[in-house]
């Protein structure tokens, strides 16, 4: 859902409210299985959650839209130090621990729309992937930049 204004935003700016699903338990603020805790944009503290085999907290940071064209703005906004002088627009922080040693761990991210990537960036990503696979000692690490003509590869 969209709402107006968020910590550090100017009136009228759109903001995003995300929810963290938790199975309940201490510190989650939930009442039982399947509860969703709101995770505000640029919240002053992280949201705690608990799953079957993982307990942790997360925080979602997003650079205010009004700073995109004015990167050297002197105006303050939450987590300015994480964004000032950098191209990044958002950051998701996750911290936690597994309750039992996990087996194979799958992690992924999917974008709603295709994001064009130039040849140099695409080549660099292809070159870095084998280094990441070697460092993790795992050939299952995969990256797909997508295809503008294929809605399933975005």
């Amino acid at each position: 859902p969209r709402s107006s204004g968020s910590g550090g935003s100017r009136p009228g700016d759109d903001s995003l409210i995300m929810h963290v699903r938790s199975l309940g338990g201490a510190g989650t603020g939930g009442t039982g299985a399947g509860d969703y805790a709101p995770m505000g944009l640029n919240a002053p503290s992280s949201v705690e959650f608990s799953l079957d085999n993982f307990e942790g907290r997360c925080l979602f940071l997003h650079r205010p839209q009004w700073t995109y064209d004015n990167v050297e703005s002197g105006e303050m906004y939450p987590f300015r130090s994480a964004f000032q002088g950098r191209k990044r627009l958002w950051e998701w922080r996750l911290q936690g621990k597994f309750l039992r040693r996990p087996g194979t761990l799958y992690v992924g991210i999917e974008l709603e729309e295709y994001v064009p990537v130039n040849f140099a960036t695409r080549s660099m990503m292809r070159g870095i992937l084998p280094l990441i696979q070697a460092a993790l000692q795992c050939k299952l690490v995969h990256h797909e930049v997508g295809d503008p003509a294929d809605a399933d590869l975005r």
Side-chain angles (χ1 to χ4, degrees), residues 1-123:
R2 291 188 168 271
S3 62
S4 181
S6 175
S9 296
R10 293 178 176 175
D13 281 355
D14 286 337
S15 62
L16 173 72
I17 298 175
M18 298 173 59
H19 290 84
V20 177
R21 183 167 187 235
S22 181
L23 297 178
T28 64
T31 58
D35 288 341
Y36 287 84
M39 180 172 61
L41 191 63
N42 297 326
S45 62
S46 57
V47 175
E48 293 185 8
F49 64 95
S50 175
L51 302 173
D52 286 335
N53 192 32
F54 190 83
E55 290 180 341
R57 64 184 77 184
C58 58
L59 181 66
F60 188 77
L61 311 177
H62 190 275
R63 184 177 183 164
Q65 189 173 2
W66 53 265
T67 68
Y68 293 179
D69 294 329
N70 187 10
V71 295
E72 297 304 322
S73 171
E75 287 190 61
M76 298 302 291
Y77 52 89
F79 301 99
R80 181 175 184 245
S81 61
F83 299 108
Q84 189 70 21
R86 298 182 173 105
K87 290 184 178 182
R88 72 178 70 154
L89 300 178
W90 61 272
E91 182 175 312
W92 183 51
R93 297 180 181 179
L94 174 69
Q95 180 181 19
K97 65 179 179 177
F98 288 97
L99 304 177
R100 295 176 306 281
R101 184 177 175 87
T104 303
L105 179 65
Y106 295 95
V107 178
I109 186 169
E110 183 176 333
L111 303 177
E112 290 183 15
E113 296 180 20
Y114 174 75
V115 177
V117 178
N118 65 33
F119 177 77
T121 302
R122 188 180 303 255
S123 298

